[in-house]
């Protein structure tokens, strides 16, 4: 699929359904996703790596709706989770636990127990105390804890500093010397199965060279670790593949697969990957309604009914999202404005001094590339119920998460006993 969102008859459609028609039914703000886009992106990557045994594990934190997980599971995807909550989501979506890997620096004892009992493929271990806790829990349960150790290859992925994870100063993973010691310790633990090695160097990486550099380093270490008598099965190269938000020119799945092919083809390990944004980013948009147009002597503000609590990436990372109108019948006339939400924070904006088609109060706008790290990072700040989520498939659409209401937000709150 070229793009999940296209202009037909002068207005935006998701696949074959008019965005306006969906929003008339479900209201705004609304996240709208294309089912076929998720599947196509997964298959693009899956096919690019057909030269090597591999398992693509979609990063659940990117967009964790159970309907999205089920869509990808049906297409053959595995899953990369970072919490017990995400494990329960994928189980609810009917995912085979043997296709689930569990990452994150702070797994709790309860989460580890749930994962071992469920029978996941492996934990990605990020510290010495974590390995020891997994060993303890596994022993208590009379089971084995399968682990891959996350190594920090110390390369610069050339992306935003907040989403760089593979540099030496990062909280993630272990430097190679400590990782080697940990592999040795793990080998001696009877309740631990050492099955793999993992890296994840960052996010929104548009070039292949940081992966090539990191994998080259990892290959030397894999050789050393095998020499220590440790029989690895999996080499997990993490996620991070970049997408087009503005004018980036990210490597395609095929270019990426070919760039690392000489390094991994004959390694004798199953290649694992944890893409998130690559699959979900451009599968979705956030649709919002213009509430007011406010004009200061020097500036114009388009105030919309979605806010930073719905999509925090512009506020958090100064991320660029393309913004346009759902109605494209504009004869090319444009205006320059800040597009902002109703939240009482200066940081509540989607774009600043942005040129967009001329809009009026009551009109619908589209914030593009909102399929990844959109709804999953949403909050209830300002007691704003979270948006509705809708999945489109061809000429059908379905609500996959109902809009929250204020009663749900207040439920569980109470006055103190005194
Ligand atoms: C967030 C994350 C991913 C996914 O990253 P993308 O940039 O969305 O591909 C993969 N693996 C791990 C361990 C992560 O934390």
């Amino acid at each position: 699929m070229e793009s999940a969102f296209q202009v037909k008859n002068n207005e935006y459609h998701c696949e074959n359904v008019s965005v306006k028609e969906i929003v008339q039914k479900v209201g705004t703000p609304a996240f709208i996703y294309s089912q076929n886009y998720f599947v196509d992106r997964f298959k693009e990557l899956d096919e690019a790596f057909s030269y090597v045994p591999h398992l693509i594990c979609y990063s659940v934190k990117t967009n964790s709706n159970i309907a999205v997980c089920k869509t990808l599971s049906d297409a053959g995807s595995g899953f990369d989770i970072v919490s017990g909550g995400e494990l329960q989501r994928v189980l609810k979506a009917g995912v085979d636990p043997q296709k689930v890997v569990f990452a994150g620096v702070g797994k709790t004892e309860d989460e580890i127990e749930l994962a071992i009992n469920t029978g996941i493929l492996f934990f990605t271990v990020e510290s010495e105390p974590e390995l020891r806790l997994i060993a303890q829990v596994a022993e208590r349960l009379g089971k084995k804890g399968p682990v891959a150790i996350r190594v920090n290859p110390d390369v610069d992925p050339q992306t935003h500093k907040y989403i760089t994870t593979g540099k030496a100063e990062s909280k993630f993973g272990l430097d190679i010397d400590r990782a080697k010691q940990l592999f040795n310790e793990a080998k001696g633990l009877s309740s631990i199965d050492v099955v793999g090695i993992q890296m994840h160097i960052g996010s929104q990486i548009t070039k292949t060279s940081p992966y090539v550099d990191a994998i080259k380093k990892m290959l030397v270490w894999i050789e050393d670790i095998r020499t220590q008598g440790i029989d690895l099965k999996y080499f997990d190269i993490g996620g991070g593949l970049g997408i087009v938000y503005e004018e980036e020119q990210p490597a395609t799945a095929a270019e990426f697969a070919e760039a690392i092919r000489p390094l991994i083809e004959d390694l004798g390990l199953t290649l694992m990957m944890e893409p998130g944004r690559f699959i979900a980013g451009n599968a979705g948009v956030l649709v919002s309604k213009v509430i007011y147009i406010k004009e200061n002597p020097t500036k114009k503000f388009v105030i919309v009914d979605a806010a930073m609590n719905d999509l925090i990436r512009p506020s958090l990372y100064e991320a660029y999202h393309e913004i346009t109108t759902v109605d494209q019948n504009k004869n090319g006339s444009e205006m320059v404005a800040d597009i902002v939400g109703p939240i009482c924070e200066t940081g509540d904006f989607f774009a600043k001094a942005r040129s967009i088609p001329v809009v009026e109060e009551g009109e619908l706008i589209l914030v593009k590339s909102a399929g990844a790290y959109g709804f999953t990072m949403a909050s209830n700040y300002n007691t704003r119920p979270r948006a509705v989520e809708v999945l489109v498939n061809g000429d059908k659409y379905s609500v996959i998460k109902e809009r929250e209401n204020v009663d749900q937000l207040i439920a569980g709150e109470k006055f103190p006993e005194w």
Side-chain angles (χ1 to χ4, degrees):
M1 190 183 306
E2 277 278 290
S3 166
F5 298 88
Q6 265 157 353
V7 179
K8 296 175 197 166
N9 308 323
N10 280 325
E11 56 169 294
Y12 263 95
H13 285 64
C14 177
E15 298 196 19
N16 300 326
V17 186
S18 143
V19 166
K20 217 180 271 172
E21 183 193 323
I22 296 173
V23 164
Q24 272 163 8
K25 272 267 161 56
V26 306
T28 53
F31 284 95
I32 300 179
Y33 310 125
S34 155
Q35 176 164 330
N36 289 296
Y37 187 88
F38 288 108
V39 173
D40 287 356
R41 290 291 268 185
F42 168 76
K43 287 197 170 149
E44 202 182 315
L45 204 52
D46 198 37
E47 277 156 24
F49 281 94
S50 55
Y51 63 79
V52 71
H54 66 278
L55 178 62
I56 292 168
C57 290
Y58 168 67
S59 166
V60 174
K61 72 172 190 278
T62 311
N63 183 326
S64 56
N65 189 291
I66 58 171
V68 170
C69 292
K70 172 140 194 338
T71 294
L72 287 165
S73 180
D74 290 347
S77 187
F79 293 85
D80 166 44
I81 59 166
V82 293
S83 71
E86 287 189 353
L87 177 54
Q88 294 187 46
R89 278 184 179 280
V90 296
L91 293 176
K92 186 135 195 181
V95 170
D96 173 2
Q98 276 294 299
K99 284 183 158 182
V100 176
V101 299
F102 191 168
V105 296
K107 304 175 193 78
T108 65
E109 184 161 359
D110 286 349
E111 290 176 319
I112 291 167
E113 178 163 344
L114 176 67
I116 292 177
N117 278 331
T118 308
I120 63 163
L121 187 60
F122 60 74
F123 294 96
T124 305
V125 171
E126 307 218 16
S127 68
E128 294 86 354
E130 183 195 335
L131 176 73
R132 291 168 202 149
L133 184 57
I134 294 171
Q136 236 177 55
V137 175
E139 190 158 336
R140 170 161 60 75
L141 298 172
K143 296 190 172 167
K144 288 240 179 183
V147 302
I149 289 169
R150 178 163 176 178
V151 182
N152 192 335
D154 194 19
V155 297
D156 183 356
Q158 302 168 38
T159 182
H160 194 287
K161 60 184 184 300
Y162 285 1
I163 48 179
T164 294
T165 54
K167 295 267 290 163
E169 63 269 25
S170 151
K171 77 171 175 178
F172 301 101
L174 293 160
D175 67 62
I176 186 56
D177 294 329
R178 279 173 64 196
K180 280 182 185 168
Q181 281 174 17
L182 199 60
F183 270 109
N184 249 332
E185 180 177 341
K187 193 176 87 171
L189 295 168
S190 60
S191 62
I192 292 290
D193 252 342
V194 189
V195 296
I197 185 164
Q198 193 258 15
M199 65 178 216
H200 173 68
I201 56 177
S203 199
Q204 184 56 10
I205 302 167
T206 53
K207 297 182 185 155
T208 55
S209 56
Y211 288 99
V212 170
D213 295 347
I215 291 172
K216 279 185 180 160
K217 285 181 157 186
M218 297 284 280
L219 291 183
V220 176
W221 301 333
I222 288 172
E223 195 44 46
D224 291 351
I225 291 158
R226 282 171 152 175
T227 313
Q228 289 178 23
I230 294 166
D231 179 27
L232 299 174
K233 292 193 190 76
Y234 305 104
F235 178 22
D236 187 336
I237 61 171
L241 295 178
I243 62 166
V244 180
Y245 285 99
E246 188 176 6
E247 284 173 337
E248 300 89 342
Q249 292 183 310
T252 63
E255 284 164 357
F256 173 60
E258 286 312 308
I260 64 172
R261 182 170 184 157
L263 303 175
I264 55 174
E265 195 170 16
D266 301 317
L267 198 56
L269 296 176
T270 297
L271 185 79
M272 311 275 294
M273 236 170 303
E274 304 165 351
R277 190 190 312 271
F278 179 86
I279 289 175
N282 282 317
V285 296
L286 173 61
V287 186
S288 182
K289 190 187 274 180
V290 177
I291 312 173
Y292 301 115
I293 306 221
K294 174 172 174 175
E295 289 189 59
N296 286 353
T298 54
K299 243 182 163 179
K300 199 176 261 189
F301 295 93
V302 174
I303 304 171
V304 299
D305 68 356
M308 66 188 284
N309 74 298
D310 299 299
L311 179 69
I312 202 174
R313 299 189 66 258
S315 312
L316 193 59
Y317 312 121
E318 297 158 20
Y320 180 97
H321 283 264
E322 197 182 319
I323 298 174
T324 189
T325 45
V326 170
D327 177 2
Q328 290 281 304
N329 195 9
K330 301 278 178 180
N331 306 317
S333 42
E334 298 218 317
M335 62 196 252
V336 175
D338 284 11
I339 294 102
V340 304
I343 285 184
C344 305
E345 294 279 348
T346 309
D348 181 25
F349 64 88
F350 292 121
K352 290 195 166 162
R354 181 73 65 82
S355 198
I356 57 164
V358 169
V359 285
E360 290 168 16
E361 292 172 359
E363 251 199 272
L364 297 173
I365 64 151
L366 206 68
V367 183
K368 292 191 175 179
S369 311
Y373 307 107
F375 188 88
T376 53
M377 292 179 98
S379 77
N380 294 119
Y381 188 37
N382 279 208
T383 307
R384 288 170 51 86
R386 287 178 302 169
V388 65
E389 290 179 287
V390 176
L391 190 66
V392 174
N393 180 12
D395 50 17
K396 298 189 290 282
Y397 71 93
S398 181
V399 169
I400 55 170
K401 161 98 178 160
E402 285 171 13
R403 184 181 305 286
E404 259 175 346
N405 61 48
V406 174
D407 285 343
Q408 290 170 316
L409 301 194
I410 298 175
E413 292 182 24
K414 44 186 160 182
F415 299 109
E417 281 166 30
W418 61 89

